[in-house]
Amino acid sequence: MVYGERVRVAVLSDVHGNLAALERVLDDCADADAVWCLGDIVGYGPRPNEVIDALRRRGAVAVAGNHDRAALGLLDISDFNTDAAQAMVWTSGVLTAKSREYLASLENVRVEREHTLAHGSPRDPLWEYVTTPTQASANLNHFATRLCLIGHTHIASAFIDRGDGVFLATYAPPGFTVDLSQLSAKALLNPGSVGQPRDGNPQASYLLLDLAAGIATWRRVRYPIRETQAQMREAHLPRRLIDRLSLGR
Ligand code: ZN
């Protein structure tokens, strides 16, 4: 990886139709040169079309998540829990032709400026949850770049190869940084979720990559949770999905 480029990239994942959260995050990273989105743009949340429009306006580069594929009818949702499946039926019903076209254009994996982008993991981009060092290690030979950016778990985290194929895993609290220029081997970084955090902190989570300084910083942003919850009630989305936004679980 070549550092020294004066480029700052905001890495977002799992926006899940939460426009209020996305807008605050895009404000927070307004001076970033690029936005990369790791999928699950829609599903669960009340504003899927508006979220897609906002990402397109910002010129975001994105890959597909399992919810994005399911919304197009391309994935069997029998593996989804009842709430997720109910929200998916609603989401599929409200997506515009333009939004469908956008979701259909997304790849499962792509490489941007020598960074691999995937939703779940590079070896199984739509389904695998990387939560342990063993899983991170099993993905080592499935990406060629130094860094792989993943989402899907909704938990801000980092998996760093010690240099011998054994990964160290860490939760990434707000303000946590990784000095990329000091990495001796590969790493998988997870920005956490913009629209439905599940690490006990309800604030929207994302990752800022400063390619000039070689620093990755995890950030949290307050957003009007009640606004999203009111939109979800209006759309008759499942109660449990509404409540969990306040808890960050
Ligand atoms: Zn998700």
Side-chain angles (χ1 to χ4, degrees):
M1 189 173 343
V2 182
Y3 291 111
E5 284 182 288
R6 295 188 181 283
V7 172
R8 293 166 84 235
V9 180
V11 184
L12 280 49
S13 193
D14 298 275
V15 180
H16 281 297
N18 188 338
L19 183 67
L22 177 64
E23 284 177 336
R24 296 317 186 280
V25 166
L26 291 178
D27 282 349
D28 195 70
C29 65
D31 59 349
D33 302 286
V35 173
W36 297 345
C37 181
L38 307 177
D40 275 9
I41 293 166
V42 304
Y44 298 133
R47 293 289 184 267
N49 294 307
E50 293 82 350
V51 159
I52 289 171
D53 289 345
L55 288 171
R56 293 179 79 145
R57 274 198 304 274
R58 185 64 172 83
V61 160
V63 291
N66 51 318
H67 284 253
D68 305 319
R69 289 286 185 250
L72 299 178
L74 299 173
L75 267 195
D76 179 9
I77 60 168
S78 61
D79 283 344
F80 278 37
N81 64 47
T82 316
D83 292 337
Q86 194 185 325
M88 186 45 66
V89 170
W90 180 86
T91 301
S92 299
V94 300
L95 280 182
T96 63
K98 201 174 117 203
S99 293
R100 290 177 171 278
E101 197 179 307
Y102 173 77
L103 293 177
S105 74
L106 303 178
E107 301 165 88
N108 287 346
V109 179
R110 63 184 288 165
V111 175
E112 285 292 316
R113 291 180 181 269
E114 297 176 57
H115 294 69
T116 301
L117 279 54
H119 179 61
S121 74
R123 72 170 172 174
D124 186 1
L126 294 183
W127 289 116
E128 184 175 26
Y129 290 89
V130 176
T131 57
T132 66
T134 310
Q135 286 164 319
S137 180
N139 273 284
L140 187 60
N141 296 322
H142 293 265
F143 61 104
T145 57
R146 175 69 70 91
L147 280 190
C148 180
L149 303 166
I150 54 171
H152 196 39
T153 64
H154 297 211
I155 293 175
S157 47
F159 301 86
I160 297 169
D161 184 348
R162 298 187 311 190
D164 56 2
V166 176
F167 278 70
L168 301 172
T170 180
Y171 171 62
F176 185 79
T177 61
V178 169
D179 186 345
L180 305 172
S181 63
Q182 295 300 311
L183 290 181
S184 58
K186 287 180 172 180
L188 294 118
L189 306 182
N190 187 325
S193 169
V194 169
Q196 194 200 76
R198 293 179 192 162
D199 54 8
N201 179 347
Q203 296 179 4
S205 184
Y206 79 100
L207 177 68
L208 197 59
L209 288 179
D210 185 333
L211 298 185
I215 299 283
T217 308
W218 278 260
R219 298 180 63 92
R220 297 308 273 248
V221 181
R222 267 180 214 287
Y223 77 94
I225 295 173
R226 285 184 184 159
E227 189 179 312
T228 298
Q229 290 173 319
Q231 294 165 352
M232 291 174 79
R233 272 192 291 274
E234 206 172 287
H236 304 289
L237 285 161
R239 175 72 189 269
R240 206 181 72 87
L241 297 179
I242 298 171
D243 292 344
R244 73 187 302 176
L245 294 183
S246 309
L247 306 170
R249 291 199 186 281

